[in-house]
């Protein structure tokens, strides 16, 4: 007995048992932690409440921005004027922090409608419409500036206001949360 | 370390019986009665006791508030108004709790800057000091989540901005944020978990406080000279000397606390928090509570999202490295003429950062915040390491006793017994 433990440098059966026990405990521990972490994620009811919502565009006048909620998140629907569309299109791509042409941010044939998430991509405040250097949005929290396409043009926000999934059901109705099935 | 008695002998038979089974009376005796305290401590050393008092005060007022408060997004704001209007003395309990958080931070900031001034973070007190930084981080988390509970506009938008800090983490940031929220934005699940954690964290703070005091009782307290206790003559027993002084300081602090509670109960809060949370409108000027302002200014000084978050977190974590960044052998700034000036400059920069954090993020405020942020880090990364090499400290006294009684020449001219060991006096 004593000889085997003092002289053998080779891994022993006991070493193997230690490692196997430790590994089983680690896997067991991780398995136990998993459901607790998962319980923090958006729950089934919250996910279910994320069903698509329909928005009627007829009451939204030109130049107006309307706020709606989808999945608890704020969304801006902006009925852009001709100048606002032109300003959004005539932009030197190279000057943008998050380069994206205006055409990629609206649905084809519906350039007057801009639909974007309404929380600043910096830390989530609600930017104020028609304000700031580009008359798009200005975030009062830390000074991010967005243009009439919702693209970031200044301040600490890293990316453009993202576009939620949506589609046009008709010329005057959109469905937020559902992309057109092409 | 000293000749003070630390072995406790129970007097009664029951005391002996109990002590041999759970030696808690001996622990209390050696920690809070016989424990040797440097005889030259100033009132800056009473803030530890004040902090313990504030923690207890927050827990007691918090437990009562939790009896009347409803952690539900639809009801929380109403329930806080119910506390204010209907619950007997609810207004008092809530104002004690809300202003108590501020008082807690007043005391902790004095306590922290006391450590910075007297070099209390240096060996052999590094672990003690780092435990303190951990307590501070837990306090910040607790206060932040508490401020969310009334579910007013500042609660909601403060929660949004702070949780969004995690979205700066590359790749997994957005997932982490939705796990913090329990949804796709700050909402009812967020409020529920914040309430649960707001209840839990103060008890975790209490646990770390015990470790903090344990770690304190190994090397003993630092003192205004920074030199250790060398003989019993340098020290006095904790009871009655420190006990009475601590109690007196706590009472004075209670007066200060009461002034805010009874005369300016909403001064430190924000009027927008009396408007119910509205996820569609951000208040025109969102500012955190005053105690977060210097860090908020650092966050906003960096014109990059991830960079700002890293700078803000580093501004606190860098404290943990102070024991090794400070190369000076001398602890107390009283003997460091050059560092003394840099210390006060640093204090001024921190206060200025706090003020800048309360201003809108525009124009010269941003530039001033950037300059202050650079200086803030330079203090730790340049001033502390370099001064240790270039500064010539003043001569240190030979002992604590000498620093208070003057250099002794064979005891001549001293009232009899003035330098005798205190416990042998009278
Ligand atoms: C480290 C100690 C603590 C700190 C720094 C702290 C801080 C805060 C703060 C800043 C608020 C917001 C006050 C307001 O504007 O209304 C708050 C609210 C609250 N806290 Fe605490 N708290 C602490 C401990 C506790 C404990 C231990 C409990 C429960 C046992 C508790 C229960 C509550 C409740 C129910 C509220 C909501 C009611 C209200 O807003 O007045 N707190 N806390
Ligand atoms: S949240 Fe908009 S700039 Fe910070």
């Amino acid at each position: 007995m004593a000889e085997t433990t003092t002289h053998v440098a080779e891994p022993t059966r006991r070493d193997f048992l230690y490692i196997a026990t430790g590994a089983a405990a680690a896997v067991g521990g991780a398995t136990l932690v998993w459901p607790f972490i998962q319980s923090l994620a958006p729950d089934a009811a919250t996910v279910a409440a994320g069903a698509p919502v329909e928005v009627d565009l007829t009451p939204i006048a030109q130049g107006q921005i309307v706020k709606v909620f989808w999945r608890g998140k704020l969304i801006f629907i902006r009925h852009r004027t001709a100048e606002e569309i032109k300003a959004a299109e005539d932009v030197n791509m190279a000057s943008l922090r998050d380069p994206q042409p205006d055409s990629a941010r609206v649905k084809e044939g519906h350039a007057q409608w801009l639909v974007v998430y309404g929380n600043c991509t910096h830390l989530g405040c609600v930017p104020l419409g028609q304000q700031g250097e580009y008359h798009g949005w200005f975030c009062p929290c830390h000074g991010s500036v967005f243009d009439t396409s919702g693209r970031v043009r200044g301040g600490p926000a890293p990316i453009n206001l993202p576009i939620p999934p949506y589609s046009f059901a008709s010329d005057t109705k959109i469905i937020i949360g559902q992309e057109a099935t092409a | 370390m000293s000749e003070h008695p630390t072995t406790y002998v129970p007097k009664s038979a029951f005391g002996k019986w109990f002590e041999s089974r759970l030696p808690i009376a001996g622990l209390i005796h050696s920690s809070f009665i016989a424990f040797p305290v440097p005889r030259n401590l100033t009132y800056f050393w009473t803030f530890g006791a004040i902090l313990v008092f504030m923690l207890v005060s927050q827990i007691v007022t918090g437990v009562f508030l939790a009896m009347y408060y409803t952690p539900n997004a639809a009801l929380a704001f109403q329930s806080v108004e119910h506390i204010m209007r209907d619950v007997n003395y609810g207004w008092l309990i809530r104002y004690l709790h809300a202003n108590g958080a501020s008082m807690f931070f007043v005391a902790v900031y004095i306590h922290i800057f006391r450590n910075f001034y007297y070099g209390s973070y240096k060996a052999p007190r590094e672990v003690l000091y780092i435990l303190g930084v951990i307590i501070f981080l837990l306090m910040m988390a607790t206060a932040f989540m508490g401020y969310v509970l009334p579910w007013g506009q500042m609660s909601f938008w403060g929660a949004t901005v702070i949780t969004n800090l995690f979205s700066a983490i590359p790749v997994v940031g957005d997932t982490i944020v939705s796990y913090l929220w329990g949804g796709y934005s700050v909402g009812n699940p967020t409020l529920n978990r914040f309430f649960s954690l707001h209840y839990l964290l103060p008890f975790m703070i209490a646990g770390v406080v015990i470790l903090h005091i344990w770690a304190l009782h190994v090397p003993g307290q630092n003192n205004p000279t920074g030199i250790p206790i060398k003989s019993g003559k340098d020290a006095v027993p904790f009871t009655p000397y420190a006990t009475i002084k601590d109690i007196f300081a706590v009472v004075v602090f209670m007066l200060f606390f009461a002034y805010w509670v009874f005369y300016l109960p909403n001064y430190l809060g924000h009027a927008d928090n009396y408007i119910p949370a509205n996820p569609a409108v951000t208040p025109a000027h969102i500012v955190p509570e005053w105690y977060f302002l210097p860090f908020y200014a650092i966050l906003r000084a960096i014109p990059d999202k991830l960079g700002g978050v890293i700078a803000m977190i580093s501004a606190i974590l860098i404290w943990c490295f102070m024991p090794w960044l400070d190369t000076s052998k001398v602890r107390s700034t009283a003997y460091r003429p050059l560092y003394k000036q840099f210390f006060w400059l640093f204090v001024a920069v921190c206060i200025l950062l706090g003020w800048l954090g309360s201003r809108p993020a525009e124009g010269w405020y941003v530039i001033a915040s950037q300059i202050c942020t650079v200086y803030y880090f330079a203090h730790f990364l340049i001033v502390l390491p370099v001064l240790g090499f270039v500064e010539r400290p003043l001569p240190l006294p030979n002992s604590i006793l000498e620093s208070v009684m003057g250099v002794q020449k064979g005891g001549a001219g001293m009232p009899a017994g003035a330098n005798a060991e205190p416990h042998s006096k009278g």
Side-chain angles (χ1 to χ4, degrees):
Chain A
M1 250 315 258
E3 269 158 48
T4 49
T5 48
T6 46
H7 296 298
V8 178
E10 298 262 297
T12 61
R13 248 166 69 88
R14 176 143 301 175
D15 290 335
F16 172 78
L17 286 174
Y18 277 145
I19 292 169
T21 313
V27 171
T31 317
L32 194 60
V33 166
W34 180 253
F36 287 90
I37 304 283
Q38 283 308 307
S39 80
L40 295 173
D43 61 26
T46 310
V47 175
V53 291
E54 273 186 15
V55 183
D56 180 11
L57 302 177
T58 28
I60 308 176
Q62 232 184 35
Q64 203 185 359
I65 302 173
V66 160
K67 295 170 176 178
V68 297
F69 283 94
W70 174 64
R71 286 173 139 192
K73 284 196 88 91
L74 182 65
I75 288 170
F76 291 139
I77 304 176
R78 182 171 187 150
H79 192 169
R80 302 192 293 181
T81 63
E83 304 89 82
E84 286 171 345
I85 299 171
K86 191 166 176 327
E89 284 169 350
D90 295 348
V91 163
N92 173 12
M93 278 305 125
S95 71
L96 296 180
R97 183 175 302 169
D98 181 6
Q100 242 187 342
D102 187 59
S103 56
R105 297 178 52 81
V106 292
K107 302 285 177 202
E108 219 183 312
H110 300 285
Q112 72 273 40
W113 296 107
L114 178 72
V115 181
V116 289
Y117 278 115
N119 293 100
C120 180
T121 54
H122 180 225
L123 297 174
C125 291
V126 179
L128 305 169
Q130 281 100 6
Q131 293 195 24
E133 203 185 328
Y134 299 91
H135 308 290
W137 282 271
F138 173 74
C139 183
C141 288
H142 319 100
S144 289
V145 182
F146 300 90
D147 64 15
T148 52
S149 190
R151 290 170 300 202
V152 58
R153 303 297 288 272
I159 56 168
N160 301 336
L161 294 177
I163 315 280
Y166 74 98
S167 55
F168 276 86
S170 71
D171 274 353
T172 58
K173 189 189 278 177
I174 59 171
I175 303 172
I176 299 178
Q178 187 179 297
E179 284 290 359
T181 40
Chain B
M1 191 170 61
S2 90
E3 298 106 70
H4 285 289
T6 47
T7 40
Y8 169 73
V9 187
K11 290 185 188 77
S12 68
F14 174 75
K16 289 199 182 80
W17 179 86
F18 195 85
E19 194 67 4
S20 63
R21 284 157 180 80
L22 179 66
I24 192 164
L27 181 68
I28 290 171
H29 186 268
S30 65
S31 310
F32 301 108
I33 295 175
F35 187 72
V37 172
R39 68 191 296 162
N40 60 341
L41 295 188
T42 64
Y43 275 98
F44 281 112
W45 270 263
T46 59
F47 282 86
I50 291 171
L51 285 163
V52 171
F53 167 77
M54 285 317 306
L55 179 61
V56 172
S57 167
Q58 288 305 94
I59 290 179
V60 171
T61 51
V63 168
F64 276 85
L65 282 176
M67 296 178 191
Y68 319 115
Y69 168 80
T70 316
N72 177 292
L75 306 168
F77 187 87
Q78 272 308 312
S79 78
V80 172
E81 285 314 299
H82 163 73
I83 292 172
M84 294 300 288
R85 292 155 200 246
D86 306 334
V87 174
N88 297 326
Y89 294 103
W91 59 272
L92 178 62
I93 300 172
R94 171 159 184 257
Y95 280 157
L96 282 171
H97 195 77
N99 287 280
S102 280
M103 296 302 114
F104 205 166
F105 278 92
V106 167
V108 86
Y109 279 127
I110 295 176
H111 190 72
I112 291 170
F113 278 86
R114 187 277 318 260
N115 296 334
F116 289 176
Y117 189 85
Y118 292 109
S120 304
Y121 48 84
K122 294 186 196 184
R125 297 186 181 81
E126 304 94 320
V127 171
L128 160 63
Y129 168 73
I130 291 169
L131 286 168
V133 178
I134 293 171
I135 294 173
F136 179 71
L137 291 171
L138 288 171
M139 274 175 68
M140 292 182 95
T142 308
F144 159 65
M145 288 190 273
Y147 196 58
V148 175
L149 302 184
W151 211 240
Q153 273 290 68
M154 281 295 161
S155 301
F156 185 90
W157 291 103
T160 300
V161 167
I162 301 299
T163 48
N164 263 308
L165 293 176
F166 292 88
S167 70
I169 301 169
V171 191
V172 290
D174 287 331
T175 313
I176 292 180
V177 173
S178 73
Y179 273 60
L180 289 174
W181 290 338
Y184 304 106
S185 59
V186 171
N188 190 52
T190 326
L191 177 60
N192 275 299
R193 60 190 60 182
F194 277 20
F195 179 57
S196 170
L197 295 175
H198 183 70
Y199 209 132
L200 169 70
L201 288 190
F203 295 92
M204 297 187 57
I205 294 178
V208 185
V209 166
I210 291 172
L211 295 181
H212 189 70
I213 296 175
W214 186 4
L216 169 68
H217 284 188
V218 178
Q221 283 164 290
N222 190 21
N223 65 83
T225 64
I227 58 177
I229 294 176
K230 290 175 183 157
S231 77
K233 289 179 188 171
D234 288 340
V236 291
F238 194 96
T239 301
Y241 297 92
T243 328
I244 288 296
K245 190 171 178 175
D246 282 347
I247 292 172
F248 179 68
V250 168
V251 171
V252 172
F253 195 80
M254 283 162 90
L255 291 176
F256 174 70
F257 183 7
Y259 181 78
W260 292 97
V261 170
F262 292 108
Y263 292 94
L264 297 165
N266 287 304
Y267 185 83
L268 296 168
H270 202 293
D272 282 86
N273 222 25
Y274 283 101
I275 302 170
N278 178 354
V281 182
T282 307
H285 184 198
I286 86 156
V287 277
E289 293 282 85
W290 70 267
Y291 35 81
F292 294 138
L293 287 173
F295 303 105
Y296 192 61
I298 291 175
L299 167 78
R300 297 192 307 183
I302 315 284
D304 174 80
K305 181 167 164 177
L306 181 60
V309 174
I310 291 174
M312 182 177 73
I313 296 169
S314 314
I316 301 176
L317 292 186
I318 201 166
W319 294 358
C320 293
F321 298 96
M322 277 179 89
W324 298 278
L325 287 170
D326 186 343
T327 52
S328 172
K329 298 271 179 296
V330 176
R331 285 201 192 91
S332 171
T333 304
Y335 303 97
R336 300 185 60 190
L338 209 51
Y339 180 67
K340 189 179 275 177
Q341 297 170 32
F342 282 100
F343 172 84
W344 289 111
L345 181 60
F346 178 69
V347 172
V349 165
C350 291
I351 293 172
L352 190 59
L353 273 173
W355 179 74
L356 288 166
S358 74
R359 302 287 99 200
E362 56 196 35
W364 74 271
Y365 294 133
V366 178
I367 300 168
S369 307
Q370 286 165 345
I371 296 170
C372 289
T373 301
V374 169
Y375 187 79
Y376 181 94
F377 286 102
H379 176 84
F380 293 97
L381 298 174
I382 300 172
V383 175
L384 280 180
V386 172
L387 273 196
F389 293 107
V390 301
E391 182 182 51
R392 263 197 66 198
L394 302 177
L396 294 174
N398 288 316
S399 69
I400 293 175
L401 182 72
E402 186 186 294
S403 80
V404 273
M405 296 296 182
V407 182
Q408 272 126 65
K409 299 188 188 78
M414 278 251 181
N419 62 355
E421 289 187 36
H423 66 259
S424 63
K425 260 196 254 186

